[in-house]
Amino acid sequence: MKKVALIIAIIFISCLGQVVRAQESKAKNPVIFADVPDMSMIRVGKNYYMSSTTMHMSPGVPIMKSNDLVNWQMLGYVYDTLANIPSLNLTDGKGTYGRGSWASCIKYHKGLYYVTTFAQTTGKTHIYTTKNIEKGPWKAVSFAPSLHDHSLFFDDDGKVYMIYGNGKIKIIELNTGVSGIKKDGLDQTIIENASDPAGTNIMLGAEGSQVFKVNGKYYLFNIAWPRGGMRTVIIHRADKITGPWEGRVALQDLGVAQGGLIDTPDGRWFAYLFRDFGGVGRIPYLLPVRWEDGWPVLGENGKVPETLDLPTSKGLIPGIVQSDEFTRKKGDASLPLVWQWNHNPDNRLWSVTERKGFLRLKTGRIDTSFVLARNTLTQRTIGPESSGVTLLDISNMQQGDFAGLGLLQKNYGLVGVKVVKGSKSIVMVSANTGKPIEIEQIPLQQNTVYLRAECDFRNRADIAHFFYSLDGKLWRSIGEPLKMPYTIPHFMGYRFGLFNYATQQIGGYADFDYFRISDTISSTR
């Protein structure tokens, strides 16, 4: 009897282990725990390509590639500079935080890749094309007006459209060269109020249009936000692109919404959507899709699943973010693709070659705060937790200079070195209240200092802590914890940022030996 019980126990433990291993081998939601909003996605053969939004950042509209829908790597950007104007250059007292280029659309048609976007900052719709999405180059054209949250669509009859709008959804026909609006082409409203399926008390009208054609029917994805409710996926379908369109609520769970459809080479379907997740930003989810009576049915019993029948994630480092020692071999790009400037940079004032193995940030004008300073070099924070570390050489900073490591958003925080009346101090600044306040200052008697910022996004804690070290071994906390809210004025998840700006005189510079990112944080404070 004991032997039978032992055998049963062994079988039970073995089966339990198999279940656990099976769960561990599956992908988990969110598939990318980082700020990758407004995704648009295509499959060409076995490869998936995705564009996303980075708004005021430069370069802009990132392009990513995956072979499994879970593990993504950066391929490049469709532009280095959206436009050379004061608001994008962060000059003349102007900036474009929270604006720049918004939701993009990626398509592949007759050997050409198309990425389109729009910008309130320029008042235009921008179209970029290339024959080689992995290497470029991209050709750019633009036209007025700026078509809000548009979806580029190539129909089977050769006609090309953009479907766009907020609440009221419109369609406009483009010329055959896809370079502008077709004169006397189709231009009409196709859905008077696309929010209707979600009710009458709507806080955010239907937007984020993405259009697909499956088995002869047209499907339009939108997001709406009922007041007192959550972000909601609405799908309309029609037999003709001009309608009539019938709509229904497709998903109301966890606020996961805005995106579209993607199929796999083996015939499965998924919906790609994103979720507002506090300080880390807007994070992508995947949902299985089955077809029922000609409608795509999203999720599992109307819910967002925790696991997916897809390969497990290998992590976001180095696909989405990565460390940088600032060493460059011949032929290397000046900066890896994970880096973006907070606005268009002044390329005269930074270098990775003037001092081998260092990023040099030089001052060229007077600024008054971290968010107004040009040439802040950034990359995403990642969840559920992450840390960034740098070694800063301050030997050539001048009176009034301030350099260091920040977490960029409207309510930012940073740790750095400030030069005041010939003395150097390690300073922690917090904009928790919406205004920057110097929380702590510690005298510094040497020319190098290690700086670290740690972010905890677990269970939406959205808390950051800052540290410094004089030798890279003994770390000390500085200042106070930073609460990291997602604010609309910046409309972006928090980013690590390396910065240096002058407040009194120009001509100084700071050297950063490296930036190292990790998906863990220290266990002690």
Side-chain angles (χ1 to χ4, degrees):
M1 194 69 180
K2 290 182 179 178
K3 289 184 177 179
V4 173
L6 179 62
I7 292 171
I8 291 174
I10 292 172
I11 292 173
F12 174 78
I13 293 170
S14 176
C15 291
L16 183 62
Q18 290 177 17
V19 170
V20 171
R21 285 191 294 273
Q23 291 294 321
E24 289 177 346
S25 65
K26 288 187 175 183
K28 296 180 180 179
N29 269 319
V31 289
I32 302 176
F33 208 141
D35 193 44
V36 184
D38 303 331
M39 306 94 69
S40 179
M41 199 178 296
I42 57 172
R43 178 177 64 84
V44 180
K46 295 182 178 180
N47 297 322
Y48 302 94
Y49 299 101
M50 176 170 66
S51 64
S52 179
T53 294
T54 49
M55 294 178 293
H56 47 271
M57 296 290 177
S58 176
V61 186
I63 304 297
M64 304 179 191
K65 177 186 178 182
S66 176
N67 295 315
D68 58 16
L69 286 174
V70 176
N71 295 284
W72 295 87
Q73 66 183 61
M74 290 289 303
L75 286 182
Y77 298 88
V78 300
Y79 65 76
D80 287 325
T81 303
L82 179 66
N84 187 20
I85 56 179
S87 56
L88 287 165
N89 292 338
L90 205 57
T91 57
D92 298 342
K94 297 180 179 179
T96 195
Y97 285 113
R99 297 188 300 277
S101 60
W102 279 7
S104 61
C105 177
I106 185 170
K107 297 290 183 180
Y108 178 71
H109 182 69
K110 293 186 177 180
L112 273 181
Y113 293 89
Y114 295 79
V115 174
T116 65
T117 186
F118 68 104
Q120 294 174 327
T121 311
T122 63
K124 294 180 178 181
T125 298
H126 299 262
I127 299 177
Y128 301 89
T129 56
T130 185
K131 293 181 179 179
N132 189 335
I133 194 170
E134 302 199 15
K135 295 182 179 179
W138 291 87
K139 179 183 176 181
V141 295
S142 63
F143 61 87
S146 173
L147 299 179
H148 180 82
D149 277 12
H150 64 255
S151 181
L152 178 67
F153 185 76
F154 295 90
D155 212 344
D156 297 335
D157 59 3
K159 293 184 177 181
V160 189
Y161 305 100
M162 279 187 173
I163 293 179
Y164 66 100
N166 178 283
K168 180 183 292 186
I169 303 301
K170 301 179 178 181
I171 187 171
I172 196 162
E173 189 174 353
L174 302 187
N175 57 36
T176 56
V178 196
S179 59
I181 296 171
K182 182 179 179 180
K183 185 178 180 181
D184 299 324
L186 183 65
D187 182 3
Q188 68 181 60
T189 297
I190 55 174
I191 305 175
E192 190 64 35
N193 185 1
S195 308
D196 267 349
T200 58
N201 192 10
I202 299 296
M203 180 171 64
L204 174 68
E207 61 178 16
S209 294
Q210 295 201 32
V211 184
F212 308 88
K213 193 173 186 179
V214 181
N215 295 329
K217 285 187 178 291
Y218 300 88
Y219 296 89
L220 170 64
F221 276 61
N222 288 110
I223 173 187
W225 197 333
R227 197 174 303 277
M230 67 180 73
R231 291 162 48 88
T232 300
V233 179
I234 295 174
I235 298 178
H236 285 80
R237 74 175 184 182
D239 294 320
K240 296 181 180 179
I241 199 161
T242 53
W245 293 82
E246 56 176 328
R248 59 165 59 175
V249 169
L251 183 73
Q252 277 185 325
D253 187 38
L254 302 178
V256 174
Q258 190 164 335
L261 290 171
I262 193 74
D263 68 339
T264 65
D266 60 4
R268 293 179 295 162
W269 288 84
F270 290 88
Y272 55 88
L273 305 165
F274 70 79
R275 181 185 184 188
D276 290 305
F277 206 76
V280 75
R282 296 178 288 170
I283 58 180
Y285 280 67
L286 287 174
L287 282 73
V289 171
R290 61 184 174 85
W291 291 86
E292 186 176 289
D293 298 327
W295 287 96
V297 179
L298 278 55
E300 297 176 354
N301 299 315
K303 299 296 182 181
V304 176
E306 292 184 3
T307 61
L308 298 156
D309 188 20
L310 290 168
T312 187
S313 172
K314 299 174 184 176
L316 302 185
I317 305 172
I320 302 297
V321 297
Q322 71 178 72
S323 299
D324 193 348
E325 299 296 315
F326 298 119
T327 55
R328 301 289 183 264
K329 297 178 182 177
K330 186 177 181 179
D332 285 349
S334 296
L335 293 171
L337 293 170
V338 294
W339 290 114
Q340 288 175 285
W341 301 98
N342 63 334
H343 279 64
N344 292 341
D346 184 338
N347 290 317
R348 303 168 301 168
L349 300 176
W350 69 273
S351 173
V352 289
T353 58
E354 289 185 13
R355 183 180 178 186
K356 188 176 180 180
F358 287 79
L359 167 70
R360 176 165 292 176
L361 296 181
K362 297 178 279 189
T363 63
R365 70 180 194 188
I366 304 300
D367 285 299
T368 57
S369 78
F370 177 50
V371 291
L372 295 177
R374 203 171 178 184
N375 282 22
T376 294
L377 187 61
T378 80
Q379 60 173 289
R380 294 172 179 86
T381 57
I382 61 173
E385 54 189 27
S386 54
S387 66
V389 180
T390 191
L391 173 56
L392 174 63
D393 186 335
I394 60 176
S395 304
N396 295 284
M397 291 174 61
Q398 294 189 1
Q399 182 72 18
D401 288 0
F402 193 9
L405 171 64
L407 288 170
L408 177 61
Q409 233 275 5
K410 178 180 177 290
N411 293 14
Y412 62 84
L414 55 86
V415 58
V417 175
K418 182 180 288 187
V419 182
V420 179
K421 295 181 180 179
S423 298
K424 298 171 182 176
S425 300
I426 307 169
V427 177
M428 187 269 167
V429 173
S430 170
N432 256 333
T433 63
K435 295 181 179 180
I437 299 173
E438 193 172 293
I439 304 299
E440 186 174 359
Q441 184 178 109
I442 298 169
L444 182 62
Q445 305 300 328
Q446 58 191 56
N447 283 329
T448 58
V449 63
Y450 299 81
L451 307 172
R452 185 170 84 221
E454 295 189 345
C455 304
D456 184 358
F457 300 111
R458 294 171 294 184
N459 300 315
R460 300 188 74 159
D462 294 347
I463 292 290
H465 294 83
F466 295 88
F467 305 83
Y468 73 95
S469 175
L470 301 179
D471 59 8
K473 298 176 183 178
L474 178 62
W475 288 90
R476 299 183 184 276
S477 178
I478 184 170
E480 66 180 16
L482 176 74
K483 182 63 179 174
M484 297 185 290
Y486 186 95
T487 72
I488 296 302
H490 276 218
F491 213 178
M492 182 172 285
Y494 277 76
R495 285 188 162 236
F496 294 111
L498 303 179
F499 70 92
N500 179 35
Y501 65 91
T503 64
Q504 296 183 28
Q505 61 189 52
I506 64 173
Y509 58 86
D511 288 337
F512 296 83
D513 194 350
Y514 55 76
F515 174 79
R516 295 172 185 164
I517 190 168
S518 170
D519 58 4
T520 60
I521 58 178
S522 60
S523 58
T524 59
R525 299 286 179 223

